[in-house]
Amino acid sequence: MLTAEIRRRFLDFFERNGHKILPSASLVYNDPTLLFVNAGMVPFKSYFVGAEPPPAPRVATCQKCVRTLDIDDVGKTTRHGTFFQMLGNFAFADYFKAGAIEFAWKLVTGPQSEGGFGFDPDKIWVTVLGPGYHPDYPEGDAEARELWRAVGIPDERIQGRSLKDNYWNMGVPGPGGPCSEIYVDRGPDFGADGGPVVDEDRFLEIWNLVFQQEDLSAVRAKDDFDIARQLPSQNIDTGAGLERIAYLLQGKDNMYEIDEIFPVIEKAAELAGKVYGENRDDDVRMRVVGDHIRSALMLMTDGVAPGNEARGYVLRRLLRRSIRSMRLLGVESKVLPALLPVSRDLMSASYPEILKEWDRVSANAYAEEDAFRRTLAAGTQIFEAAASQAKGAGASVLSGERAFQLHDTYGFPIDLTLEMASEQGLDVDRDGFKRLMQEQKDRAKADARAKKGGAVDTAAFTDVRRAGESRFVGYSDLSAEGRVLGIVSGGRLVDAAHPGEIVEIVLDATPFYAESGGQDADSGILTANGVQLDVLDVQKPVDGLISHKVLVGEGEVRPGDTLLASVDPVARRHGAASHSATHIVHAVLRKILGPTAVQAGSYNKPGYLRFDFNANAGLSKGMREELEGLSNEAIDAGYDVTDTQMSLADAKALGAMAMFGEKYPDVVRVVEMGGPFSRELCGGTHVTNTAQIGMLTLLGESSIGSGVRRVEALTGKDAFAHLAKERALVATLADLLKAQPEQLEDRVGRMVAQLKAAEKEVADLRAKELLGNAAALAASAETVGSYRLVARQLSGVGGNDLRTLGIDLRERLGSDASVVALVGGTDDKPVVTVVTNDAARAAGAKAGVLVGVAAEKLGGRGGGKDDIAQGGGSNGAGAADAFAAVRAALAG
């Protein structure tokens, strides 16, 4: 049974049983505690904690997920994958344990001819919470055990397990409850008998049913928590692993051989001239390729671009591990153009958006492969320098610190370091490397826990949300009365706010726009008789609430009081103008660059905007001028700006642009400017006509990561002020140069040419002076091992002059094995040049390696050919250490 068919059967089954089918949320989900959606329940967290009402009492999804904590196990086990799909059915105050168990049993064991999965009922085992693991459950989950008996599972195939296995919570105070897991017996070929408690390879978990019924007041560990009370309503949260079900129903031994992954492995084997199944190490590498190519494809489809931080770093690592695995399989040529389209064709049946985004995705991926190939070339030089230094010091082991630096700083894979070290007769301190890697992981986990801990701070707002919600009236009104629903201070609800305090006020109605969608929050005041609060910030701490961070200036405020909320009209007008200008910039960029110029982020505030977009190359001067010109044409055209409420499906059919990672309701707001000119899903505030923007001035365009560019611009009076300042500068220059403004370009051009000529003349004189001293420098050569070495610091001398002098010195030193090492530049920006002659190179001295050794002591990097190489750094005081390192390398 194909994976797509399993997915369809699951959703059809629950749709027939009264569930609303929801699409998968983007992997880039709007949750500050997560890099990616890592479980099927993530999009429903706000419903489970009561922060907002669910879209229906019963829903079902097939959710895209990514987990990378166990990335090093990918390919080695039967079930570790970075991208996976989680089937789930959810009930909010609707059916509970009996319904969830009955649904799962019918689907899992139902005949395939009737839409079920067709698993043999005699092969099904289940686990429930066992007795004695928590004081509130002295008998364990006896109710779940009885319900499984009722559907036909004998008691010997129902096993009790601990809280770690069969109790679910979010890791923070909130909802929790026992869970029950469904396992399939794969048979004696896969392990020992005795159920999941004996062998979880033979007995494979395919589904987990979570029974949310308790409110936890404290969570110290997965198996250490306090239950405060029963939840007012019971919920069902289930998760079934689509890939696991697929490889069982397809008769495979592991998830890598299912229909959505294995063709990529076959292509990898073809490129490498290998046969899958003949060599375990090769098989692991091919499985890594199959898994990572699919994961990278899905992440890029959802808007992630390769980068050095957060999500971009994870994607970069997936792509580079794939390329590196193919290299270990013997493929040195480019591989992504052959592999990625295979995964595209496999996954687009379930996710047609892959085809829509393919041009952008493939361009980013192929550019990343080109960049990594350059990294491998540069990293090889860094490694050779490190190896040379280690051997020069008489060491036989490359330090864990150096291996970690190669991995973490230069993106050089550890397995490549191990391979190349072996070729050089060196071992690698693997324990030291693993220790540093673990420290990095621990820091990442601690950071994640810190972010997750932030969720505790929303508990007070969740309590407020249960009592009501905030209604935003700011599209039509800039002032409105609102009743205080709650006051939060230090993460806790308080009964009053007093003068001088900074607190957060939640109103039941407000005209203040809360920061979201890249738009800055409104500013203004909250007032009442004898009360004035200055609004410092406005946020949405939980869905459905708008919180005003205020400084209490006068009076006292209590829950239930009525306040007049007044938005600063000038700031709102200018902020709306910048937001509308952002939409115009987006539309114009897509006109210039095509549909691949998708928004990757934005920020706007009164008078200023920045807009990030996907592109693999910067904008030319002509493109920047076109962007600014067409944007101002759209402003001058006076397009009406309208907003319309419509269904999400209708909005997409209309062609409205949506942001990756944003969560949209069934009914959305579509903002249009000039009809089809700009049409986006947007909840922000806007002008009513583009002419109200006034004007737009482009400040610049730059790269902010691989495949992502950023433009910045000013709008309205800020744009005018910027141009006025530039006009004043032009007038000053014209006055200084005694020229008309239109003559400045020619006049300055001539001056620059004259300056360059003068600089060249000075450089020539300096070079002659240096060469005049060359004889004395050559005479000062010292003997190091079997080499003659000239090592000298020449402060103030630039790189070109060092190179010229180094070549001259090499000739003067004759046919003996000779090396020249020169450091010039300045204290904060030193440069280094290393030159070798034929005899030195024949003896093993390579300039490219030696310059790396020297540049490291200068706080920088270097590289080049075997005969001449250059580098630089940031610490000129390290020159003596640099020369010492070169001497040590030569002596070795």
Side-chain angles (χ1 to χ4, degrees):
M1 188 183 297
L2 295 177
T3 305
E5 171 63 14
I6 298 169
R7 180 179 183 270
R8 185 192 65 78
R9 285 179 178 237
F10 180 90
L11 297 177
D12 285 353
F13 174 85
F14 282 102
E15 188 171 34
R16 290 196 304 271
N17 285 281
H19 291 67
K20 181 176 182 177
I21 307 303
L22 298 180
S24 172
S26 169
L27 287 165
V28 186
Y29 194 65
N30 187 21
D31 186 328
T33 69
L34 297 172
L35 276 180
F36 306 110
V37 170
N38 61 0
M41 59 76 61
V42 168
F44 304 105
K45 282 169 61 175
S46 60
Y47 309 141
F48 289 136
V49 300
E52 62 175 319
R58 302 181 178 191
V59 300
T61 64
C62 177
Q63 175 62 47
K64 299 176 290 185
C65 303
V66 165
R67 292 179 188 169
T68 56
L69 286 177
D70 300 322
I71 192 171
D72 292 328
D73 292 323
V74 170
K76 300 174 184 176
T77 70
T78 61
R79 55 183 183 268
H80 276 101
T82 50
F83 172 82
F84 59 97
Q85 300 160 87
M86 189 64 74
L87 303 167
N89 59 289
F90 306 87
F92 309 98
D94 194 81
Y95 63 83
F96 197 48
K97 291 183 184 180
I101 289 173
E102 184 178 349
F103 283 143
W105 180 254
K106 284 183 178 180
L107 181 57
V108 168
T109 63
Q112 292 187 3
S113 59
E114 298 176 9
F117 292 154
F119 285 104
D120 183 351
D122 294 334
K123 300 292 185 183
I124 301 299
W125 291 63
V126 298
T127 61
V128 298
L129 180 63
Y133 290 107
H134 195 278
D136 287 70
Y137 284 94
E139 303 300 322
D141 193 354
E143 181 186 4
R145 181 180 290 273
E146 288 302 319
L147 289 168
W148 282 117
R149 286 197 190 106
V151 299
I153 297 186
D155 196 60
E156 62 268 18
R157 296 210 308 271
I158 306 172
Q159 296 185 319
R161 304 191 76 174
S162 69
L163 294 166
K164 287 185 177 179
D165 297 301
N166 282 85
Y167 194 94
W168 176 90
N169 63 68
M170 296 195 301
V172 295
C179 61
S180 181
E181 297 169 323
I182 302 174
Y183 294 78
V184 175
D185 182 0
R186 304 168 70 194
D189 290 344
F190 294 92
D193 199 0
V197 298
V198 173
D199 192 326
E200 287 198 4
D201 283 328
R202 170 174 173 172
F203 299 89
L204 186 69
E205 179 198 344
I206 61 168
W207 205 339
N208 187 15
L209 315 178
V210 176
F211 312 125
Q212 289 190 20
Q213 58 190 58
E214 286 127 6
D215 188 9
L216 309 185
S217 58
V219 179
R220 293 169 291 275
K222 185 169 174 57
D223 59 348
D224 183 12
F225 51 83
D226 297 330
I227 298 175
R229 56 186 176 275
Q230 294 295 300
L231 289 172
S233 63
Q234 298 173 327
N235 304 316
I236 287 294
D237 159 23
T238 82
L242 177 55
E243 283 77 10
R244 292 191 183 188
I245 295 173
Y247 79 76
L248 291 175
L249 291 181
Q250 292 174 18
K252 306 299 182 182
D253 291 343
N254 59 71
M255 67 170 287
Y256 311 105
E257 297 176 14
I258 66 172
D259 61 298
E260 288 190 345
I261 300 177
F262 193 64
V264 179
I265 292 177
E266 289 182 309
K267 187 64 177 180
E270 176 190 329
L271 293 174
K274 304 281 187 179
V275 176
Y276 180 77
E278 285 191 350
N279 179 283
R280 184 185 182 280
D281 290 340
D282 286 346
D283 288 351
V284 169
R285 290 162 185 157
M286 285 187 266
R287 290 171 185 170
V288 167
V289 171
D291 171 84
H292 286 9
I293 289 293
R294 184 171 76 143
S295 301
L297 171 69
M298 302 308 294
L299 286 172
M300 289 187 289
T301 298
D302 278 2
V304 183
N308 290 326
E309 296 181 353
R311 298 181 176 107
Y313 178 77
V314 172
L315 171 59
R316 171 164 286 168
R317 189 178 181 201
L318 291 170
L319 287 170
R320 293 189 170 190
R321 278 173 60 93
S322 302
I323 299 164
R324 173 59 186 150
S325 294
M326 291 300 296
R327 182 185 174 105
L328 290 173
L329 289 166
V331 182
E332 299 284 344
S333 58
K334 295 181 182 180
V335 295
L336 292 187
L339 296 171
L340 202 62
V342 178
S343 191
R344 172 201 63 194
D345 296 342
L346 295 170
M347 298 303 296
S348 57
S350 295
Y351 303 99
E353 61 268 24
I354 292 172
L355 299 178
K356 180 181 177 183
E357 302 296 333
W358 175 249
D359 288 345
R360 173 183 57 81
V361 167
S362 58
N364 280 349
Y366 302 159
E368 179 63 19
E369 180 166 19
D370 290 339
F372 185 45
R373 289 169 66 83
R374 291 192 295 270
T375 293
L376 287 175
T380 299
Q381 291 186 336
I382 301 297
F383 169 82
E384 288 181 351
S388 177
Q389 186 176 15
K391 290 193 291 185
S396 61
V397 178
L398 188 69
S399 70
E401 289 80 2
R402 183 55 64 87
F404 179 76
Q405 180 191 36
L406 282 164
H407 166 81
D408 193 55
T409 304
Y410 302 108
F412 212 56
I414 181 59
D415 48 5
L416 182 56
T417 300
L418 293 170
E419 178 184 308
M420 293 177 63
S422 177
E423 293 171 355
Q424 296 259 10
L426 292 172
D427 290 326
V428 176
D429 179 9
R430 300 191 192 193
D431 291 339
F433 175 81
K434 290 178 181 178
R435 173 178 54 79
L436 292 168
M437 285 293 293
Q438 188 60 49
E439 289 175 3
Q440 185 185 62
K441 288 181 179 179
D442 291 343
R443 287 192 298 270
K445 289 180 179 179
D447 182 59
R449 283 195 298 269
K451 290 180 178 179
K452 191 170 186 179
V456 179
D457 294 338
T458 67
F461 292 104
T462 299
D463 288 341
V464 175
R465 179 66 179 82
R466 293 191 181 106
E469 62 180 338
S470 302
R471 183 168 50 92
F472 177 63
V473 298
Y475 292 136
S476 57
D477 300 311
L478 293 183
S479 65
E481 288 189 341
R483 181 171 58 86
V484 179
L485 294 177
I487 304 173
V488 177
S489 177
R492 296 184 178 183
L493 286 173
V494 295
D495 57 10
H498 305 93
E501 294 180 343
I502 295 178
V503 299
E504 297 185 66
I505 303 285
V506 180
L507 301 176
D508 67 348
T510 179
F512 280 83
Y513 182 81
E515 180 184 358
S516 61
Q519 181 177 349
D520 215 355
D522 280 329
S523 58
I525 57 175
L526 306 180
T527 58
N529 187 22
V531 173
Q532 178 166 323
L533 316 175
D534 293 323
V535 177
L536 308 176
D537 191 18
V538 189
Q539 296 289 333
K540 294 179 179 177
V542 298
D543 288 332
L545 287 189
I546 297 176
S547 174
H548 310 72
K549 185 177 184 179
V550 300
L551 170 63
V552 183
E554 300 177 11
E556 183 179 276
V557 181
R558 294 182 177 275
D561 290 351
T562 297
L563 299 175
L564 178 65
S566 303
V567 173
D568 181 338
V570 175
R572 163 65 77 85
R573 184 171 71 252
H574 293 308
S578 291
H579 192 175
S580 296
T582 304
H583 284 223
I584 289 176
V585 167
H586 190 189
V588 172
L589 279 170
R590 289 173 65 81
K591 181 176 182 179
I592 295 172
L593 301 177
T596 59
V598 177
Q599 181 174 348
S602 69
Y603 173 70
N604 52 81
K605 63 180 182 178
Y608 169 84
L609 70 89
R610 69 170 184 248
F611 184 82
D612 303 337
F613 60 100
N614 291 305
N616 289 313
L619 300 180
S620 65
K621 182 175 183 291
M623 287 179 175
R624 293 195 297 272
E625 291 174 351
E626 188 177 10
L627 171 59
E628 186 176 72
L630 291 178
S631 296
N632 279 297
E633 285 182 16
I635 292 170
D636 186 60
Y639 290 139
D640 286 333
V641 180
T642 61
D643 63 275
T644 308
Q645 301 283 333
M646 64 180 70
S647 70
L648 181 59
D650 287 344
K652 290 182 177 179
L654 192 63
M657 295 291 296
M659 268 290 289
F660 285 115
E662 286 294 321
K663 177 182 175 183
Y664 293 105
D666 291 338
V667 176
V668 295
R669 181 173 180 255
V670 178
V671 174
E672 293 184 89
M673 300 179 185
F677 173 78
S678 172
R679 188 176 281 145
E680 297 191 27
L681 302 185
C682 182
T685 62
H686 290 275
V687 297
T688 58
N689 187 285
T690 58
Q692 294 170 340
I693 299 171
M695 65 185 302
L696 178 143
T697 296
L698 192 64
L699 292 177
E701 185 263 354
S702 61
S703 170
I704 60 169
S706 177
V708 182
R709 310 290 300 183
R710 169 174 290 173
V711 294
E712 296 179 89
L714 299 176
T715 60
K717 67 176 186 178
D718 290 86
F720 176 81
H722 177 76
L723 292 178
K725 187 182 296 184
E726 288 194 338
R727 183 179 62 186
L729 177 61
V730 168
T732 300
L733 290 173
D735 185 55
L736 288 172
L737 299 176
K738 308 301 181 185
Q740 295 299 314
E742 61 270 16
Q743 298 172 329
L744 283 178
E745 184 176 1
D746 180 62
R747 181 70 61 84
V748 172
R750 290 204 308 271
M751 290 179 64
V752 170
Q754 292 168 357
L755 179 60
K756 286 182 177 179
E759 288 176 342
K760 184 178 184 305
E761 185 177 350
V762 171
D764 290 343
L765 290 172
R766 180 181 294 162
K768 289 179 181 178
E769 181 183 1
L770 287 171
L771 293 175
N773 295 326
L777 287 174
S780 70
E782 59 186 290
T783 300
V784 179
S786 59
Y787 301 93
R788 297 184 69 198
L789 170 67
V790 173
R792 186 64 62 91
Q793 183 174 17
L794 303 168
S795 298
V797 179
N800 290 335
D801 291 339
L802 285 183
R803 180 186 179 95
T804 301
L805 178 60
I807 293 172
D808 183 81
L809 288 171
R810 178 175 63 184
E811 299 304 318
R812 292 176 183 272
L813 290 170
S815 60
D816 292 339
S818 302
V819 176
V820 178
L822 304 174
V823 173
T826 60
D827 286 343
D828 60 346
K829 197 173 182 180
V831 292
V832 58
T833 294
V834 176
V835 181
T836 61
N837 65 5
D838 291 341
R841 293 192 295 279
K846 298 179 180 180
V849 174
L850 293 173
V851 82
V853 171
E856 183 182 4
K857 299 300 182 181
L858 299 173
R861 300 167 62 180
K865 297 180 180 179
D866 291 348
D867 61 334
I868 186 165
Q870 291 185 289
S874 58
N875 177 28
D881 292 335
F883 296 141
V886 171
R887 292 187 184 97
L890 292 176

